[in-house]
């Protein structure tokens, strides 16, 4: 349980620490304050994960579901920083907005969960596939290095380390069994880190510089402040986050053979939103589901929620013992990228498995999947596609999971639940005429030419 829980931490660590590092750098925090903010986000992610997996009353999906700092909030939070004259007020304003958004989301959770009726297999399969596809660019970015502005970003050394890590994971998954096979990703990360030492890519300085013990003092950066513009901005992020969490719960339910019903989704959303509302108390940001860990569950087939709860316990300890957190930070980003290819690809594969059962022998369902995937892939393949839209709209549009999910739900309603669309025709070859066209052609066929 300890090793598989630690494997989940290793898979999500980079995603948890990235938002506080970006926002903290935008504010101009010192190295010590930046370390404190990062530790606080690890601590609150651990609390949210335990709350989600173990559950209290009607709070928590009680699935192997990891919660961490949502990256969807980075853009609006940095915008808040940019528009705040006194940078020392930026974090209190952000924390105040997160508290309000979290509480409103908690109240809205049972109403939001009723959307589950609009998620048949054709929709869930599309969304799960999009989750995997959306995460793969993250793995490719990790494989190139930690700093896009560095001279060695995307170097042959980094890509080789990523490839070697991927090969180690594949070999362990193919030629081992039992416990070793289950922790193949963790062993791959360890092997990749060791292989990176001769290349000078492994950096042990975070361990040497980290404090042994540290506690995220409540309201360390000041009491929360409540500004309407910031609150509205992060409420929009909360809606996006709840949409993605719903999709993630549906995906995880399919993978662990426990389909997420309306009650499960409501409980999971309550944990998400309550975790977000409590997070600023300990200087953390908005919490949401982490899709990358769904890939780990899909690959290892370890479905126990207590394993993920153990990972949440490790995150809490890392918040209390910065030196422990620094040990995970030692893993080079290219090594994480190599493992990420397997993890995130597994999510996409799970989505394809769901689509196979979704009735793709019907034209309507093929169109739903085709258009929804295309809409969801826009932010990935053309990141500046929505550049002329307002910043608030881009919070939603730049999330391929959210836009693809909305498109799939709406198209399913139009094609399968309204008018003649509910009578789906059998699928036809793209280059062949459909049934109705063929019949019309039979009755009005022009004479054949000699």
């Amino acid at each position: 349980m300890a090793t598989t829980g630690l494997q989940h931490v290793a898979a999500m660590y980079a995603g948890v620490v990235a938002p506080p590092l970006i926002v903290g750098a935008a504010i101009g925090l010192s190295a010590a304050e930046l370390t404190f903010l990062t530790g606080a986000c690890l601590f609150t992610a651990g609390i949210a994960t335990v709350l989600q997996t173990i559950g209290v009353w009607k709070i928590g999906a009680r699935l192997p579901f990891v919660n961490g700092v949502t990256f969807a909030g980075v853009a609006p939070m940095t915008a808040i920083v940019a528009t705040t004259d006194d940078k020392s007020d930026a974090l209190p304003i952000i924390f105040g907005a997160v508290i309000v958004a979290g509480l409103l989301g908690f109240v809205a959770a049972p109403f939001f969960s009723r959307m589950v009726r609009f998620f048949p297999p054709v929709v869930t399969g599309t969304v799960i596939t999009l989750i995997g596809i959306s995460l793969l660019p993250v793995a490719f970015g990790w494989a190139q290095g930690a700093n896009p502005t560095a001279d060695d970003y995307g170097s042959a050394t980094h890509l080789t380390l990523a490839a070697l890590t991927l090969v180690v994971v594949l070999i362990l998954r193919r030629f081992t069994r039992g416990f070793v096979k289950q922790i193949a990703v963790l062993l791959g990360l360890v092997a990749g880190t060791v292989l990176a030492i001769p290349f000078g890519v492994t950096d042990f300085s975070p361990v040497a510089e980290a404090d042994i013990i540290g506690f995220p003092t409540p309201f360390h950066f000041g009491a929360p402040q409540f500004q309407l513009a910031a609150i509205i901005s992060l409420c929009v992020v909360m809606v996006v986050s709840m949409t993605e969490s719903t999709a993630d719960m549906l995906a995880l339910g399919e993978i662990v053979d426990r389909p997420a019903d309306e009650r499960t989704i409501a409980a999971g959303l309550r944990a998400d939103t309550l975790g977000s509302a409590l997070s600023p108390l300990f200087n953390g940001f908005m919490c949401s589901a982490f899709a990358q860990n769904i890939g780990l569950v899909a690959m290892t087939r370890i479905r126990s929620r207590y394993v993920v709860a153990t990972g949440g316990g490790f995150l809490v300890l890392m918040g209390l013992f910065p030196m422990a957190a620094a040990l995970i930070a030692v893993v080079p980003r290219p090594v994480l990228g190599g493992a990420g290819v397997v993890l995130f690809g597994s999510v996409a594969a799970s989505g394809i498995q769901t689509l196979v059962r979704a009735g793709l022998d019907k034209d309507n369902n093929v169109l739903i999947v085709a258009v929804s995937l295309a809409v969801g892939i826009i932010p990935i393949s053309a990141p500046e596609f929505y550049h002329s839209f307002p910043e608030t709209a881009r919070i939603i549009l730049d999330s391929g999971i959210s836009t693809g999910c909305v498109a799939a739900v709406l198209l399913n309603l139009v094609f399968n639940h309204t008018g003649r669309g509910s009578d789906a025709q059998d699928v036809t070859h793209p280059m062949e005429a459909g049934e109705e066209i063929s019949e019309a052609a039979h009755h009005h066929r022009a004479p054949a030419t000699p």
Side-chain angles (χ1 to χ4, degrees):
M1 186 177 288
T3 50
T4 49
L6 189 62
Q7 191 168 236
H8 275 282
V9 174
M12 71 178 292
Y13 180 86
V16 175
V17 302
L21 288 175
I22 295 171
V23 175
I27 295 172
L29 296 180
S30 65
E33 295 288 1
L34 201 56
T35 301
F36 180 91
L37 184 63
T38 303
C41 287
L42 289 168
F43 180 79
T44 54
I47 292 176
T49 298
V50 172
L51 185 64
Q52 187 69 268
T53 51
I54 302 301
V56 178
W57 184 57
K58 295 182 179 180
I59 301 170
R62 292 171 174 82
L63 289 170
F65 205 44
V66 170
N67 274 46
V69 182
T70 175
F71 209 87
V74 171
M77 286 193 293
T78 51
I80 292 170
V81 173
T83 56
T84 303
D85 295 331
D86 187 352
K87 300 306 179 188
S88 62
D89 290 333
L91 283 175
I93 292 172
I94 290 172
F95 292 151
V98 171
I99 291 172
V100 174
L103 293 176
L104 290 176
F106 185 85
V107 174
F111 305 100
F112 204 91
S113 66
R114 293 174 187 171
M115 290 176 58
V116 70
R117 71 188 69 179
F118 303 119
F119 286 84
V122 68
V123 175
T124 56
T126 302
V127 173
I128 296 168
T129 304
L130 271 176
I131 291 172
I133 294 173
S134 298
L135 288 170
L136 281 171
V138 176
F140 302 150
W142 288 347
Q144 296 179 79
N147 184 6
T149 61
D151 293 335
D152 62 349
Y153 185 74
S155 66
T157 299
H158 287 170
L159 298 182
T160 300
L161 287 173
L164 288 174
T165 303
L166 174 59
V167 169
V168 170
V169 173
L170 293 176
I171 289 174
L172 291 173
R173 292 290 299 177
R174 173 63 182 86
F175 296 105
T176 63
R177 59 180 60 187
F179 178 66
V180 174
K181 185 176 183 177
Q182 291 174 344
I183 62 168
V185 173
L186 182 61
L187 294 177
L189 293 174
V190 173
T193 303
V194 173
L195 289 171
I197 294 176
F199 296 98
V201 179
T202 306
D203 181 13
F204 291 97
S205 61
V207 179
E209 297 170 0
D211 295 329
I212 298 177
I213 299 175
F215 183 79
T217 312
F219 301 129
H220 175 80
F221 295 98
Q225 300 179 26
F226 303 95
Q227 288 191 3
L228 183 60
I231 290 172
I232 293 174
S233 178
L234 289 186
C235 279
V236 173
V237 174
M238 179 57 73
V239 172
V240 174
S241 175
M242 292 173 73
T243 303
E244 294 190 359
S245 289
T246 299
D248 289 341
M249 276 184 272
L250 291 168
L252 190 58
E254 291 284 340
I255 290 169
V256 302
D257 295 328
R258 182 191 151 190
D261 56 16
E262 187 176 316
R263 181 180 299 179
T264 301
I265 292 174
L269 293 177
R270 287 192 189 99
D272 265 12
T273 52
L274 182 61
S276 296
L278 294 175
S279 188
L281 174 65
F282 299 102
N283 313 284
F285 296 145
M286 187 180 293
C287 294
S288 180
F290 263 42
Q292 50 261 51
N293 292 77
I294 296 175
L296 192 56
V297 175
M299 192 188 74
T300 63
R301 309 303 295 173
I302 299 176
R303 305 172 179 181
S304 171
R305 60 191 172 108
Y306 297 103
V307 166
V308 176
T310 302
F314 278 124
L315 289 171
V316 172
L317 290 176
M318 288 177 178
L320 299 175
F321 299 95
M323 185 172 286
L327 285 173
I328 298 294
V330 166
V331 179
R333 202 61 62 85
V335 173
L336 279 175
V341 170
V342 179
L343 296 180
F344 306 158
S346 297
V347 178
S350 297
I352 294 171
Q353 288 176 335
T354 303
L355 286 174
V356 169
R357 305 193 302 270
L360 293 186
D361 56 335
K362 305 296 182 182
D363 264 338
N364 289 349
N365 288 347
V366 171
L367 285 173
I368 292 168
V369 174
V371 176
S372 300
L373 285 178
V375 170
I377 291 173
I378 287 174
I380 304 169
S381 58
E384 297 301 317
F385 189 82
Y386 300 111
H387 73 277
S388 63
F389 283 73
E391 189 66 33
T392 304
R394 291 193 63 179
I395 294 173
I396 300 174
L397 296 174
D398 283 344
S399 170
I401 298 172
S402 296
T403 53
C405 178
V406 171
V409 169
L410 293 178
L411 289 171
N412 179 62
L413 289 174
V414 171
F415 280 93
N416 288 335
H417 295 280
T418 59
R420 294 187 60 192
S422 58
D423 300 321
Q425 300 293 330
D426 289 341
V427 71
T428 56
H429 189 280
M431 297 303 293
E432 294 175 354
E435 182 179 291
E436 295 180 9
I437 297 176
S438 297
E439 290 178 359
H442 176 75
H443 293 295
H444 302 285
R445 183 174 300 158
T449 54

